[in-house]
Amino acid sequence: MKQSNADLDLKMRMQRLLWLLGYYTRIGVKLASYPPPKGKKESVQSALELTDVDVLGIKVDADLSSIRTLVDCTTKKSGSPIGRAFWLRGLMHFFHATRGYAVLARTIPPHERTIAAELGVTLMDEQDVHMMEERHSMSEHTVPPHIGSREAHLYFESNLSTLAGSLMPVVEFRQRQFWLQKPGRALLNTIFLPQRLNEELNPSQKFHRALVVDVFTLFCLSAITMCEHLLATAPRDLRAGVRMYLFGGAMGIQTRESLLSDMRELLERLPGQKPMFIREELTSRLQLDPPFLNELLERTVRLLNKPSKAKDILRYLQVALMEQVLYGGPSVQEVFGEEYSEVTLKFVKDLARFYEEAADLDPDIFKEIKDL
Amino acid sequence: MKLDPHQIGLRVQDIQTGLQDIELRGVATGLMDDTRLVGMAARLAIHIRGAEIIEDYDRLTVVASELGIDSLILPNVLHALQEVEFATLEGKPPDLKVYEDVPYFKDIYEELGTLWESRAPSELQQASVEILQDLAMSPTSEEALRKDYPLEELPWSLIKDIGGAGGYIKTYQSSIDNADVVYSPLFWEENPKAMLDLLKTFPAKEIADAIKEVQLYQGYPIPNLREGETSRKDQIILEAMQRGLLPTPAVESFRGKRYFAFTPYAGGVSLAPEEKAILNKARIILSCVRYGEHFGTITKIRDPEAILHALQTRGRIGPHTEIGKQYALLAVRGIGRIVRDTQISSRYWLEIIDTPENRKAFVLAKDILVVGEAITDRGLDDRARAMVFQSGRLQEPLTTIAEARRQPSLSDESICRLLDRITDTVRIGAL
């Protein structure tokens, strides 16, 4: 959707505010859906965009539970504030957000503010944004220079949109599919998708590295969401708990394993195939568990054991992407100051090492992460 | 080398645990270095797992000293951990930082066993590890052992002496007929006379084969002599049980009283009383499950691991008619409760009493069932581990700073042989 300069400025201000409030943020997350194929010969088309979220904020707590906040910004004068609040409430439901901010460039009647508040939406005009900035001492507290920066945002997104066509599936995934898919599937796809395209990714290209760091951040978001689920369900058998999460519960596992078993049987009975070939292919390929499952469990148990250190992983990665990868800017230690944790940084690096191996990526693709 | 890396890793840790407070001096200096180093790495690994980053090197030195790792050798131990990718080191002592990555889901003993092999350990060390593994299966006579390991006199004496000092190899000679038995107190209760008697009745190899059956199937159901002929192996197992060499809890249910044999190995050089209690509970748990597997009347347990898993995760199993009697022993020992089903009064539930000790017992029972011996947190010193994770400065004064180190005493035989060798070398040069 076309955005005006004024809209973008508002989004940047809200992104900086959310950063100050401890959120990891993303701009322009798309809500999309797949139309059905028109005929038997047509494959499923790309997801069609329905709307987008101006700013999505995710704040992870010390028990790895997360709060999501949506921000909608518009400088259009038309439409009622309360109508906007109801619309945002629907979007919040879809994105599992509990809080919303609707920022409007018009006067907001007090009674509409009250009703909106009942929906968990705060209606704000420009003055409200200004007061919020004052309240959180925006001028005194430093936000990293390129987070909530219009130039940096446009620099990043416009360069991603001009990447080679072969990488578009990854670009699309980070904007659309990731947010549509069930959590377990989304986690696996953050690994499988770059893995399939790993030969297209050139570590000497800055925006290839930036793209991978961004998708890796989504992987970390998925992993943290999985940990939230595991802490809530407290499975005694962690491996079983993770498998259930990744494959959609006990029924999901049973269905998939049954399918693979049938495929193995079918292949074994195929005439003309050499038995040794079949045996090797069957044992190495037709397995439900991905080869990186054990290592994923190792990473998961460490996040679960130190959740208060894991909670800031996403923010560290946002700094890594927007400051280090794009601009070679300040380190995470400089950005976070007294709140910097070496254990959090270790988690980031350990997860990057896991991701690099799982997705079979060139080690230099995480150059900046390794140098953090 | 006939052992697999996993077995090597376990035995190497056993040897180091035994030699923890021993200073090998004189002729024994350096003879067990690779084994001790890798053994130290194994022990340190399980104590620092989960720490993520260790910045306080002084604290780490204190923890290591509790595990018998001198501060001088600690850097080498840490480098060994780095070699197997269980840690990454940054800087140098005293500013050394350790980034820990000891796996939770990989076999750390296999990794460390492979490391030990890669160091091309001396023949003496290889023989020590293999002999210890053999003695795990069965005590034997010195004659039989020397036949299997045709070493020269000096290395043989050194293996015995060092093993004796470390408490993992012992020799007993009968004062009546001078018959001897070599055994490992790690694996067998201190009952050498009973071992000797068993060795007089059956050859050592047959004993080892029979014990291997028990090790591979812990909770081995002792055959009922009234139910027909028993195999040779079963006869040996019965004899060992009757002589008190194998722990054999008894379970009584609808098919009468049955005994289930376990190898005595406890997973450490010596267990504190509370650790022994947990191990006994683990054996009782597994015995009750084995009863259901072999002697269930209405239905038989097909997957004992699944039963243990269900008890661990759900905390209860049932309802079933046989539970009331079959698991009564667990109620007596405070491991579980038997609760009558509210729908069908002839059926019962087994509910586990959730205590840290019982939880550990279930983990051990699973280890014993699946692996054949205690693996999880093997050799873990809770106090030392607590020091790793303690926040703030370490205030507690070391009360054991000046603890005297025991030296192995060489037998007169060994000293004489060594002197002869030195003299020969002086006379005619090195051989």
Side-chain angles (χ1 to χ4, degrees):
Chain A
M1 284 182 180
K2 209 175 162 189
Q3 64 185 2
S4 68
N5 286 339
D7 279 3
L8 186 56
D9 284 338
L10 266 177
K11 289 176 197 176
M12 294 297 110
R13 286 171 74 183
M14 290 306 294
Q15 185 180 34
R16 289 198 292 277
L17 269 169
L18 287 185
W19 174 269
L20 275 183
L21 292 175
Y23 285 83
Y24 161 76
T25 53
R26 292 188 77 87
I27 303 288
V29 172
K30 313 287 181 197
L31 174 60
S33 184
Y34 291 96
K38 286 181 186 150
K40 277 185 187 174
K41 288 186 183 172
E42 279 203 15
S43 56
V44 175
Q45 298 171 47
S46 298
L48 294 180
E49 192 179 312
L50 299 170
T51 186
D52 65 350
V53 175
D54 289 338
V55 186
L56 167 65
I58 301 170
K59 189 173 178 182
V60 183
D61 215 339
D63 62 352
L64 296 184
S65 59
S66 54
I67 302 166
R68 288 187 175 196
T69 295
L70 299 194
V71 179
D72 174 57
C73 302
T74 180
T75 51
K76 285 189 208 155
K77 307 281 186 197
S78 59
S80 71
I82 193 61
R84 205 73 191 160
F86 278 115
W87 173 83
L88 184 59
R89 185 73 192 98
L91 209 57
M92 283 162 59
H93 172 81
F94 188 86
F95 281 94
H96 311 290
T98 49
R99 302 211 52 191
Y101 293 93
V103 184
L104 307 155
R106 50 169 293 174
T107 313
I108 302 166
H111 65 283
E112 291 192 26
R113 288 179 188 268
T114 309
I115 298 296
E118 295 284 318
L119 299 172
V121 175
T122 303
L123 290 171
M124 299 171 76
D125 54 29
E126 203 280 335
Q127 193 181 4
D128 293 319
V129 175
H130 178 72
M131 281 169 58
M132 197 173 173
E133 287 166 339
E134 293 263 331
R135 205 175 300 131
H136 295 291
S137 309
M138 175 88 93
S139 56
E140 293 164 27
H141 293 126
T142 310
V143 177
H146 299 103
I147 290 176
S149 152
R150 175 199 173 83
E151 289 73 28
H153 168 74
L154 290 172
Y155 178 53
F156 179 48
E157 293 294 339
S158 61
N159 275 284
L160 284 192
S161 66
T162 57
L163 287 176
S166 55
L167 291 176
M168 277 306 120
V170 185
V171 177
E172 285 263 317
F173 174 76
R174 62 180 274 278
Q175 276 188 314
R176 293 188 178 80
Q177 281 94 333
F178 176 81
W179 309 98
L180 291 177
Q181 291 175 355
K182 289 257 184 320
R185 190 176 164 203
L187 187 154
L188 290 171
N189 274 326
T190 58
I191 297 172
F192 288 139
L193 191 52
Q195 187 189 54
R196 272 182 228 131
L197 296 170
N198 60 7
E199 288 183 15
E200 309 292 332
L201 291 164
N202 183 348
S204 66
Q205 300 277 337
K206 176 162 53 172
F207 287 96
H208 286 211
R209 296 199 305 277
L211 176 62
V212 171
V213 170
D214 195 42
V215 179
F216 168 58
T217 308
L218 293 181
F219 161 75
C220 292
L221 169 58
S222 303
I224 287 171
T225 310
M226 180 172 72
C227 288
E228 179 185 359
H229 171 82
L230 292 169
L231 284 172
T233 52
R236 293 296 173 94
D237 183 340
L238 186 68
R239 175 183 289 271
V242 168
R243 292 182 86 237
M244 297 247 282
Y245 183 86
L246 292 178
F247 300 120
M251 281 306 297
I253 291 174
Q254 193 177 333
T255 305
R256 287 166 171 74
E257 283 185 337
S258 172
L259 185 61
L260 288 173
S261 171
D262 290 343
M263 286 178 68
R264 273 194 288 271
E265 195 181 331
L266 188 66
L267 280 172
E268 276 169 357
R269 290 168 192 266
L270 273 178
Q273 297 292 336
K274 291 179 192 165
M276 188 57 75
F277 166 78
I278 291 295
R279 242 194 318 272
E280 281 171 10
E281 289 302 297
L282 289 177
T283 51
S284 68
R285 290 176 187 276
L286 290 180
Q287 300 292 336
L288 182 60
D289 292 347
F292 53 75
L293 182 64
N294 274 350
E295 199 49 41
L296 179 62
L297 288 170
E298 295 286 347
R299 295 304 123 213
T300 302
V301 82
R302 285 173 183 274
L303 300 184
L304 291 171
N305 284 345
K306 285 187 158 58
S308 62
K309 300 296 180 189
K311 72 182 183 67
D312 286 327
I313 285 173
L314 301 178
R315 282 163 63 83
Y316 277 47
L317 283 168
Q318 189 158 17
V319 169
L321 172 61
M322 298 307 292
E323 302 299 334
Q324 289 286 310
V325 177
L326 295 183
Y327 293 97
S331 66
V332 288
Q333 203 162 356
E334 287 169 304
V335 167
F336 288 96
E338 284 175 8
E339 289 171 14
Y340 165 73
S341 160
E342 201 166 356
V343 176
T344 308
L345 184 62
K346 180 179 183 283
F347 280 159
V348 168
K349 290 185 178 184
D350 287 346
L351 285 165
R353 201 172 54 241
F354 157 77
Y355 190 80
E356 176 194 303
E357 284 175 22
D360 198 20
L361 300 173
D362 188 301
D364 287 337
I365 208 85
F366 280 134
K367 195 163 70 105
E368 285 86 2
I369 302 273
K370 286 172 184 173
D371 291 340
L372 278 176
Chain B
M1 190 95 219
K2 61 187 183 201
L3 302 185
D4 63 48
H6 172 79
Q7 288 172 316
I8 292 170
L10 290 173
R11 299 294 88 88
V12 152
Q13 185 186 7
D14 288 336
I15 290 173
Q16 164 48 24
T17 308
L19 293 174
Q20 180 172 315
D21 296 321
I22 303 293
E23 198 169 327
L24 294 182
R25 282 193 179 170
V27 299
T29 304
L31 291 183
M32 299 291 283
D33 278 0
D34 297 309
T35 304
R36 298 191 73 180
L37 185 79
V38 176
M40 288 175 188
R43 288 206 76 198
L44 188 62
I46 58 167
H47 285 82
I48 65 171
R49 179 164 50 193
E52 299 294 342
I53 301 175
I54 300 170
E55 293 177 281
D56 188 343
Y57 189 72
D58 289 339
R59 184 196 297 271
L60 185 60
T61 314
V62 169
V63 170
S65 75
E66 293 285 313
L67 305 174
I69 303 170
D70 191 87
S71 61
L72 286 172
I73 199 87
L74 178 58
N76 290 359
V77 177
L78 292 171
H79 279 286
L81 289 179
Q82 185 164 252
E83 227 177 298
V84 290
E85 296 182 357
F86 288 179
T88 306
L89 309 180
E90 197 180 271
K92 289 192 169 119
D95 299 319
L96 181 73
K97 215 185 258 190
V98 180
Y99 293 88
E100 166 274 321
D101 201 15
V102 181
Y104 287 89
F105 295 96
K106 228 193 262 188
D107 183 353
I108 66 169
Y109 294 105
E110 190 178 324
E111 299 285 323
L112 289 164
T114 305
L115 175 69
W116 182 85
E117 283 183 304
S118 73
R119 289 181 173 237
S122 62
E123 187 188 33
L124 186 141
Q125 291 182 92
Q126 289 186 40
S128 292
V129 169
E130 281 191 53
I131 285 170
L132 185 57
Q133 177 65 23
D134 284 350
L135 294 179
M137 290 297 109
S138 169
T140 187
S141 65
E142 183 158 337
E143 187 190 342
L145 206 53
R146 295 212 61 181
K147 218 187 255 182
D148 287 336
Y149 297 93
L151 297 162
E152 289 183 13
E153 277 305 317
L154 183 59
W156 171 250
S157 297
L158 285 168
I159 288 172
K160 268 188 11 179
D161 291 340
I162 295 171
Y168 55 86
I169 297 179
K170 276 194 176 173
T171 309
Y172 169 80
Q173 189 165 43
S174 166
S175 56
I176 298 167
D177 58 6
N178 287 332
D180 64 70
V181 62
V182 184
Y183 67 99
S184 175
L186 297 187
F187 302 95
W188 299 91
E189 305 289 344
E190 287 272 17
N191 195 351
K193 192 173 176 312
M195 287 177 217
L196 201 53
D197 291 341
L198 188 68
L199 278 169
K200 284 178 182 170
T201 317
F202 302 101
K205 177 125 188 9
E206 285 192 45
I207 297 173
D209 288 343
I211 300 305
K212 181 102 186 143
E213 293 284 314
V214 178
Q215 204 219 4
L216 292 173
Y217 196 82
Q218 298 277 3
Y220 188 94
I222 299 290
N224 188 334
L225 292 173
R226 288 196 288 268
E227 285 175 4
E229 280 188 37
T230 48
S231 67
R232 179 90 167 152
K233 275 186 190 160
D234 282 347
Q235 284 172 23
I236 295 171
I237 292 168
L238 255 168
E239 280 274 343
M241 175 196 116
Q242 282 162 354
R243 292 177 194 283
L245 292 171
L246 299 177
T248 41
V251 177
E252 188 161 4
S253 188
F254 290 101
R255 294 266 303 265
K257 196 173 194 176
R258 301 284 180 165
Y259 295 84
F260 299 90
F262 294 82
T263 52
Y265 179 58
V269 175
S270 63
L271 288 184
E274 58 272 17
E275 289 170 308
K276 274 192 177 155
I278 293 173
L279 181 60
N280 286 336
K281 280 189 175 182
R283 288 176 179 147
I284 288 167
I285 291 166
L286 192 46
S287 297
C288 293
V289 173
R290 287 294 194 210
Y291 194 107
E293 199 182 348
H294 290 272
F295 307 110
T297 49
I298 302 162
T299 54
K300 284 197 166 81
I301 291 171
R302 279 181 296 183
D303 187 350
E305 197 182 341
I307 296 291
L308 290 178
H309 182 72
L311 285 167
Q312 255 185 307
T313 54
R314 294 203 295 264
R316 67 181 204 158
I317 54 170
H320 198 285
T321 313
E322 298 191 53
I323 279 178
K325 289 193 84 172
Q326 186 179 318
Y327 293 96
L329 197 50
L330 298 195
V332 167
R333 297 300 180 103
I335 303 169
R337 325 184 172 85
I338 308 294
V339 177
R340 195 188 290 271
D341 186 54
T342 50
Q343 309 272 341
I344 305 170
S345 60
S346 61
R347 294 189 182 176
Y348 298 88
W349 291 85
L350 169 66
E351 290 178 357
I352 298 310
I353 298 170
D354 191 13
T355 63
E357 192 180 89
N358 287 345
R359 281 200 290 276
K360 276 187 190 172
F362 273 96
V363 172
L364 257 183
K366 239 177 152 180
D367 275 353
I368 293 169
L369 171 68
V370 174
V371 183
E373 56 183 298
I375 294 288
T376 307
D377 289 343
R378 209 161 174 280
L380 188 71
D381 181 325
D382 286 328
R383 186 167 162 268
R385 183 162 163 85
M387 276 195 256
V388 174
F389 289 85
Q390 189 179 19
S391 58
R393 286 182 60 78
L394 202 57
Q395 300 285 350
E396 184 184 326
L398 276 180
T399 56
T400 56
I401 292 172
E403 193 174 288
R405 311 237 7 191
R406 292 182 281 131
Q407 278 191 47
S409 55
L410 284 175
S411 62
D412 291 345
E413 202 178 46
S414 296
I415 292 172
C416 287
R417 256 185 239 113
L418 183 65
L419 289 173
D420 286 342
R421 195 155 141 158
I422 291 169
T423 312
D424 283 337
T425 307
V426 169
R427 283 183 191 144
I428 59 173
L431 293 167

